[in-house]
Amino acid sequence: MNNLKKWALKIISAPHISLKKYYKQYRKILNVLNPPSEPIYKMLDHKIMVDDREIPVRVFIPKANPLSKVLIFFHGGGWVTGNIDSYTNVCANMANKTNHIVISVDYRLAPENPFPAGVEDCYYAAREIFSKPQILGCSQEDIILIGDSAGGNLAAVVSLMARDRGEFLPKKQILIYPATNYDHSESSPYPSVKENGTDYIMTSKRIQDYMDLYVKNEEDRLNPYVAPILAKELLNQPKTLIVTAEFDPLRDEGEAYGIKLQQFGNDVKIYRMKDALHGFISNPLSSDDTDKCYEIINLFLNDKNY
């Protein structure tokens, strides 16, 4: 990354508006900044019922030659911001780039609904989709979990829950710059939290604020359903692709999670995006990074090496 770009990023990253105080306003800003613009062949809204509660989902069908394969997508936003509206462009692009049907899950957000509300929504939505693959014209083997940032965390945790509860088990998962640990303070064991924690827009302070809003009880932070890298064993996990960004505080913990999965005998591929920042897949100014990411994702989806 050239010095001019580093200087500009440092200036942008310097102000820190209190996320804990203004998270509702931040949600509204994200919706305003992300109006739907990607041409969509077909988009359907649906609700998955769990007891007497509804989990909204949005189904994106590719414009051309859709495959009978499905990506269940969990959006980022630190478990606090983001929704199926602010991620409509991302999911439409994902469907068209992969030719997969994409189902975006609108899980409950913290702090109004702290852990484990959001991840339970993701689990129940995935369980429902896996239980009725014929509705989508596919088999269970053709349903894949994917998420970015906090959504990458949720995808990893849903895979752990699925194994532990024995109701279904994904064959593949794609984790894009995922959060896998709970500590993003100076005591973090991962160098990228300190090296990339102040000058690259997504700061380690903001990530820690998200965690504080998501997990109210301190003891819950040691739960592998919050921090999957803390799981004592990671046997029987899906074939995994982890994509990290070079200048991201979460880089090292994402890659460390991949290595730990490998140590337990799982098939894992790890790819670091050179010069990339956290959040590139939803940043229209990072189209080159996004295109490269989908090139890697498609190779993974088609079981090809890169």
Side-chain angles (χ1 to χ4, degrees):
M1 183 180 296
N2 64 53
N3 290 333
L4 179 60
K5 186 173 182 180
K6 284 186 177 181
W7 176 82
L9 288 170
K10 186 172 184 176
I11 296 298
I12 295 170
S13 305
H16 181 74
I17 299 171
S18 174
L19 178 67
K20 292 180 182 179
K21 185 176 181 180
Y22 296 109
Y23 66 87
K24 290 183 180 179
Q25 290 85 343
Y26 190 53
R27 288 175 186 166
K28 293 177 181 178
I29 290 169
L30 285 179
N31 284 336
V32 170
L33 293 177
N34 293 284
S37 61
E38 174 72 19
I40 301 167
Y41 172 66
K42 188 180 290 185
M43 185 179 77
L44 305 169
D45 283 343
H46 182 62
K47 297 184 187 302
I48 291 174
M49 296 300 301
V50 179
D51 298 325
D52 59 348
R53 185 166 52 79
E54 298 177 339
I55 303 173
V57 298
R58 182 165 289 169
V59 182
F60 299 83
I61 300 174
K63 290 184 293 185
N65 303 318
L67 302 172
S68 56
K69 297 185 177 184
V70 175
L71 297 172
I72 302 176
F73 179 73
F74 307 126
H75 67 77
W79 311 278
V80 173
T81 67
N83 55 36
I84 53 177
D85 291 325
S86 65
Y87 267 79
T88 284
N89 291 336
V90 171
C91 291
N93 190 43
M94 184 179 295
N96 291 329
K97 290 283 189 181
T98 64
N99 281 341
H100 281 54
I101 296 169
V102 174
I103 302 178
S104 180
V105 179
D106 205 15
Y107 56 88
R108 287 173 291 174
L109 298 176
E112 297 92 338
N113 299 284
F115 172 83
V119 70
E120 290 288 355
D121 282 356
C122 293
Y123 176 82
Y124 288 128
R127 185 184 68 177
E128 179 71 11
I129 295 164
F130 272 90
S131 71
K132 300 173 183 176
Q134 65 278 6
I135 293 176
L136 297 162
C138 67
S139 65
Q140 288 189 345
E141 289 71 23
D142 294 324
I143 302 173
I144 297 150
L145 303 184
I146 181 171
D148 72 315
S149 193
N153 169 280
L154 294 169
V157 172
V158 168
S159 291
L160 286 176
M161 285 181 161
R163 181 203 61 187
D164 296 344
R165 298 179 182 181
E167 296 180 297
F168 66 95
L169 189 62
K171 295 296 182 184
K172 290 182 179 179
Q173 62 179 353
I174 300 170
L175 315 179
I176 304 171
Y177 36 80
T180 66
N181 194 32
Y182 71 94
D183 183 5
H184 302 96
S185 69
E186 284 296 314
S187 61
S188 168
Y190 301 107
S192 64
V193 171
K194 302 183 231 348
E195 293 170 2
N196 302 328
T198 57
D199 298 337
Y200 300 100
I201 301 180
M202 177 55 73
T203 64
S204 54
K205 173 69 166 62
R206 178 172 291 179
I207 296 169
Q208 197 61 43
D209 284 352
Y210 280 132
M211 180 61 69
D212 292 344
L213 291 168
Y214 177 49
V215 185
K216 296 292 188 181
N217 299 319
E218 289 284 338
E219 60 271 21
D220 283 340
R221 299 189 185 191
L222 301 178
N223 188 327
Y225 292 167
V226 169
I229 201 165
L230 299 184
K232 292 182 179 179
E233 58 90 0
L234 290 170
L235 296 168
N236 302 319
Q237 285 300 277
K239 184 176 181 180
T240 301
L241 170 64
I242 296 178
V243 179
T244 64
E246 182 177 4
F247 295 104
D248 181 2
L250 298 179
R251 182 195 68 205
D252 292 349
E253 66 191 70
E255 294 173 3
Y257 186 61
I259 292 168
K260 188 169 182 178
L261 284 170
Q262 290 172 335
Q263 290 170 343
F264 280 90
N266 299 290
D267 186 347
V268 182
K269 296 183 182 299
I270 303 169
Y271 188 88
R272 181 186 293 185
M273 296 288 295
K274 183 176 173 55
D275 284 344
L277 305 178
H278 185 89
F280 67 79
I281 201 168
S282 56
N283 185 348
L285 300 178
S286 300
S287 58
D288 289 346
D289 292 333
T290 301
D291 288 345
K292 180 62 178 178
C293 184
Y294 280 117
E295 179 185 329
I296 299 302
I297 287 173
N298 283 325
L299 290 171
F300 175 77
L301 292 173
N302 293 303
D303 295 309
K304 295 179 179 179
N305 293 321
Y306 54 82

